[in-house]
């Protein structure tokens, strides 16, 4: 097998192990404290920020403008709508020659 295949398999196993590990740890608690629950609720946004921030900083003007548009849209719309607005913004800005 190629190195890419092994990397994908290792990534899948690491992802599965973290999910199972988190479930096993949380299943030991009778109830989740409010602070832990709030922290767990913030994890998806933090992961998304770690994926988006480098692209906005290291790429061109189109990505930075799209990030601003999406941040403003996220205050008003749900996640799917924000994703659609972001995709439309980046496609339009790149087509306009900013990217």
């Amino acid at each position: 097998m190629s190195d890419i295949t092994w990397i994908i398999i290792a990534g899948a196993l690491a992802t599965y192990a973290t999910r199972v590990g988190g479930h096993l740890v949380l299943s030991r608690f009778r109830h989740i404290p409010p602070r832990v629950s709030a922290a767990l609720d913030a994890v998806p946004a933090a992961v998304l920020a770690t994926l988006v921030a480098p692209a906005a900083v290291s790429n061109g003007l189109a990505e930075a403008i799209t990030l601003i548009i999406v941040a403003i849209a996220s205050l008003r719309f749900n996640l799917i709508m924000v994703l659609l607005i972001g995709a439309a913004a980046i496609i339009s800005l790149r087509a306009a020659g900013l990217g």
Side-chain angles (χ1 to χ4, degrees):
M1 281 196 259
S2 69
D3 290 342
I4 299 297
T5 304
W6 285 111
I7 290 171
I8 291 171
I9 291 171
L13 290 174
T15 301
Y16 183 75
T18 56
R19 287 180 179 237
V20 169
H23 176 72
L24 291 175
V25 168
L26 289 178
S27 67
R28 299 186 71 145
F29 294 100
R30 289 186 182 191
H31 65 279
I32 299 173
R35 286 187 173 199
V36 173
S37 179
L40 291 174
D41 288 342
V43 168
V47 170
L48 188 59
T50 60
L51 295 174
V52 171
V57 172
S58 63
N59 288 334
L61 184 61
E63 287 78 8
I65 293 172
T66 300
L67 186 61
I68 293 169
I69 291 170
V70 167
I72 293 170
S74 68
L75 298 174
R76 173 123 174 110
F77 301 107
N78 63 15
L79 179 62
I80 297 298
M81 193 64 163
V82 171
L83 288 173
L84 292 174
I85 290 171
I90 194 70
I91 290 169
S92 299
L93 291 170
R94 286 181 179 170
L98 292 178

